[in-house]
Amino acid sequence: MTLSEAILWPGTKACEKVGIDPEGEAGLLRWLVNTLVYLVVGLIFVWIVVV
C-alpha cells in the first residue's frame, strides 16, 4: 500500500461499501468522504493541542 492509497483509504472503503467504483465516476464521493474524515480528525487534533 502506497502513501496515497493510505490517505485515500476512508473514501475508498466508503465507496466500496455503497457498491460504487472509487476509481471511476465516484471520485467526487471519495473526495467528499476523505474531506469530512480528515476535517474531523484535524479539528480534534487542533482542539487537543490548543485547549
Side-chain angles (χ1 to χ4, degrees), residues 28-46:
L28 286 177
L29 179 63
R30 181 173 66 171
W31 172 82
L32 175 69
V33 171
N34 285 326
T35 300
L36 293 175
V37 167
Y38 291 120
L39 173 67
V40 170
V41 169
L43 288 174
I44 290 170
F45 177 76
V46 168

Side-chain angles (χ1 to χ4, degrees), residues 5-23:
E5 290 173 348
I7 291 172
L8 295 174
W9 182 80
T12 303
K13 287 300 174 186
C15 286
E16 288 174 356
K17 185 170 184 161
V18 175
I20 301 172
D21 178 28
E23 297 295 329

